[in-house]
């Protein structure tokens, strides 16, 4: 083992290996950026916004809460602009009317830095603002993060607070799936969730002094889950109260069994207590047990009850929850990595293994140096085995350096921890592929030396990386062009992986895409029909062991003189 480590250091610390290694580190960081670019091309996430303007005092406040597509608070920045429009002139129309020309007047603008998903600013301006009735104040925000870019323009609504004073309020959540149903008062210690079931009229849910925007999500690790998480994103303002207790109908509750009238002390039998919302933005989370398919909840109605025990009032909303299964962020990130960057590493890393086989065997053999080594107390098998093991250790090192730099860059840039299991699977696929290539090149180095080795090894590199897959495509085309052509190409391309040194890497990437749920349905069905774990393992073992054994049978009798 000591000799193997010596040869490992000798091979690993060569400038011709360290330079590619440094490039692989940069490649890892570059692939991380490419994966993030792919991730950022989608919908940014979910945003809650709260703002008020007090024109008389020249004061305003803006609060923003941002969750990524995994419903987790995310870092980012929010640029905001508060403005209004005033008539700058009129011009006559041909029909006799007039056209009013409006000019935007910017009240203020700036940037909020989101920490743990939240950012706010409370600012006093130097002068009062226009406070005429029905002022058309507009809040324009742009949320930028590693998960994408989203922009929206939001309007304000005026609230009379007495003495001819008006506050302008803006409450908004980016996914509106909770609709106000009715507003009522607690009677005899009970609430009525659905007045229609009681044969009553439905009171209006609206209030001139209160604004509630809610979005309800159901988060689950899989479609068939024993536990789910309810997530409620909120933006709330009320002139008469500071908070509400929030209850969400338990998804396990059968609506047909929901009583018409529910006493307050029995709410927990049918509802899940989430917590309290207060003025501003917020998020409430609650994990509960669940039985059945989570996806069915997208077509069901869940009631949301906002309860103010102090005033005896309550508000009922009807929600069509959005179901989030697994980790959309991880799925899109892995898809971006596989589509954009990992192929570069898996294509060029075998070149390093080609060079190592040249350094360890082919080159010293052409110079007669191996005979000098064998003059020491070392057998041919020890020499052959030691240098093969040293090359394998280099393969482990360069794969580890690449994936560690990639993973670290993603942790820093995303400010979250990607799925370790997925990266270990991708690492294993790349590593086994490199060892298989090294075994192939090592066998060639035992048969020929010097320039002849380089010619044959480079030829094999291009054959297995480029020519071999094209042969199977031509076979698919030879059957005929028409319906089913793309399926034949995909199927034959997968079959071809059993006959390539880097086939294990391709199978591992397919498997990872299957785990993450990002493999297209048609491709997944073909993969299931073609992929056999035992055959894939046997193919990988043969690609590593067979060239090693054949190489040794040739090396033990080879003439090692120059």
């Amino acid at each position: 083992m000591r000799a193997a480590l010596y040869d490992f250091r000798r091979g690993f610390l060569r400038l011709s290996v360290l330079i590619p290694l440094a490039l692989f580190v940069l490649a890892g960081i570059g692939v991380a950026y490419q994966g993030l670019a792919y991730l950022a091309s989608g919908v940014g996430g979910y945003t809650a916004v709260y703002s008020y303007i007090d024109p008389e005092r020249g004061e305003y406040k803006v609060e923003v809460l941002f969750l990524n597509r995994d419903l987790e608070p995310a870092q980012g920045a929010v640029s905001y602009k508060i403005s209004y429009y005033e008539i700058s002139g009129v011009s006559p129309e041909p029909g006799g009317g007039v056209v009013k020309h409006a000019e935007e007047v910017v009240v203020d603008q700036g940037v909020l830095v989101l920490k743990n998903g939240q950012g706010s600013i409370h600012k006093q301006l130097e002068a009062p603002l226009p406070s005429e009735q029905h002022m058309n104040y507009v809040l324009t925000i742009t949320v930028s993060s590693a998960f994408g870019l989203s922009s929206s323009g939001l309007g304000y609504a005026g609230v009379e607070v007495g003495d001819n004073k008006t506050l302008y309020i803006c409450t908004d959540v980016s996914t509106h799936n909770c609709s106000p149903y009715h507003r009522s008062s607690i009677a005899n210690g009970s609430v009525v969730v659905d007045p229609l079931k009681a044969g009553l009229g439905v009171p209006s849910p609206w209030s001139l002094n209160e604004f509630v925007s809610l979005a309800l999500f159901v988060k689950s690790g899989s479609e068939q889950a024993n536990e789910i998480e309810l997530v409620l994103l909120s933006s709330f303002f009320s002139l008469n109260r500071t908070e509400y207790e929030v209850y969400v109908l338990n998804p396990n509750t059968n609506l047909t069994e929901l009583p018409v009238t529910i006493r307050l002390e029995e709410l927990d039998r049918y509802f899940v207590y989430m917590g309290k919302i207060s003025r501003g933005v917020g998020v409430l989370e609650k994990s509960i047990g669940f039985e059945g398919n989570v996806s069915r909840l997208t077509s069901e109605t869940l009631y949301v009850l906002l309860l103010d025990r102090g005033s005896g009032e309550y508000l009922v909303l009807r929600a069509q929850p959005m179901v989030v299964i697994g980790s959309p962020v991880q799925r899109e990130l892995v898809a971006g990595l596989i589509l954009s960057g990992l192929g570069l590493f898996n294509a060029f890393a075998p070149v390093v293994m080609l060079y190592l086989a040249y350094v360890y065997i082919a080159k010293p053999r052409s110079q007669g140096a191996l005979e000098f080594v064998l003059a020491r107390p070392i057998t041919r098998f020890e020499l052959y085995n030691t240098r093969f093991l040293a090359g394998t250790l280099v393969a482990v090192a360069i794969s580890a350096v690449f994936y560690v730099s990639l993973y670290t860059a993603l942790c820093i840039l995303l400010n979250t921890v990607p799925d370790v299991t997925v990266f270990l699977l991708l690492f294993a696929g790349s590593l086994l592929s490199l060892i298989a290539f090294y075994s192939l090149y090592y066998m060639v180095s035992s048969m020929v030396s010097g320039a002849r080795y380089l010619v044959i090894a480079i030829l094999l590199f291009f054959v297995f990386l480029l020519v071999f897959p094209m042969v199977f495509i031509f076979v698919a085309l030879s059957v005929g062009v028409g319906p089913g052509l793309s399926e034949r190409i995909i199927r034959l391309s997968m079959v071809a992986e059993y006959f390539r040194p880097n086939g294990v890497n391709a199978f591992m990437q397919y498997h990872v895409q299957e785990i993450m749920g990002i493999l297209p349905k048609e491709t997944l069905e073909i993969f299931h029909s073609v992929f056999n774990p035992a055959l894939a393992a046997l193919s990988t073992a043969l690609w590593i062991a067979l060239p090693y054994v054949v190489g040794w049978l040739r090396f033990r009798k080879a003439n090692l003189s120059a």
Side-chain angles (χ1 to χ4, degrees), residues 67-193:
L67 305 180
N68 64 23
R69 294 190 285 281
D70 285 351
L71 300 176
E72 297 174 349
Q75 308 287 55
V78 179
S79 61
Y80 70 92
K81 179 178 69 173
I82 300 175
S83 60
Y84 63 90
Y85 291 85
E86 62 180 10
I87 305 301
S88 58
V90 297
S91 60
E93 280 188 326
V98 295
V99 176
K100 296 181 179 180
H101 300 283
E103 182 178 343
E104 183 183 28
V105 179
V106 177
V107 173
D108 200 18
Q109 56 189 346
V111 175
L112 301 178
V113 176
L114 299 178
K115 295 182 179 179
N116 198 28
Q118 286 191 274
S120 66
I121 183 171
H122 187 184
K123 193 170 183 179
Q124 182 82 43
L125 300 175
E126 295 180 356
L129 299 171
S131 57
E132 293 84 356
Q133 195 172 13
H134 306 305
M135 277 294 297
N136 53 357
Y137 285 106
V138 175
L139 173 64
T140 304
I141 65 166
T142 300
V143 181
S144 58
S145 71
F147 307 95
L149 187 71
S150 60
S151 300
S152 56
L154 309 171
Y156 288 80
V159 177
E160 299 295 330
V161 295
D163 297 329
N164 295 320
K165 182 178 179 178
T166 302
L167 287 180
Y168 290 89
I169 307 298
C170 173
T171 61
D172 183 78
V173 290
S174 56
T175 303
H176 295 274
N177 61 7
C178 295
S179 304
Y181 184 32
H182 73 90
R183 184 185 297 271
S184 191
S185 298
I186 300 171
N188 299 320
S190 302
V191 296
V192 177
V193 177

Side-chain angles (χ1 to χ4, degrees), residues 347-407:
F348 291 105
V351 176
V352 177
M353 310 317 295
L354 183 155
Y355 174 74
L356 283 175
Y358 174 72
V359 168
Y360 285 143
I361 299 293
K363 182 180 178 181
R365 181 182 173 186
S366 67
Q367 297 171 339
L370 292 182
E371 280 194 331
F372 174 75
V373 175
L374 289 172
R376 302 174 182 178
I378 182 174
T379 66
R380 284 199 178 203
F381 180 73
E382 288 174 335
L383 173 65
Y384 184 84
N385 192 58
T386 296
R387 296 198 172 186
F388 181 84
L389 182 57
T392 301
L393 291 175
V394 174
V396 173
I398 63 174
S399 299
V401 165
F402 172 76
Y403 278 98
V404 167
S405 63
L406 170 60
Y407 191 84

Side-chain angles (χ1 to χ4, degrees), residues 29 69 82 108 153 177 197 216 248 282 294 314-315 342 345 395 397 400 414 438 456 469 480 516 535 539:
I29 298 172
R69 294 190 285 281
I82 300 175
D108 200 18
N177 61 7
K197 291 182 67 175
L216 180 63
V248 174
V294 179
Y314 64 91
L315 172 65
L342 291 182
F345 172 77
L414 278 177
Y438 181 63
I456 296 174
M516 301 302 292
L535 283 179
S539 170

Side-chain angles (χ1 to χ4, degrees), residues 443-484:
M443 179 190 70
V444 175
S445 71
S446 70
M447 297 177 176
V448 294
S449 60
R452 285 181 298 170
Y453 162 80
L454 292 174
V455 171
I456 296 174
I458 292 172
L459 182 63
L460 287 173
F461 172 77
F462 282 107
V463 165
F464 283 112
L465 212 65
L466 301 174
V467 178
F468 199 67
M470 293 177 63
V471 171
F472 280 79
I473 294 175
F474 284 130
V475 171
L477 290 172
S478 66
V479 178
V481 178

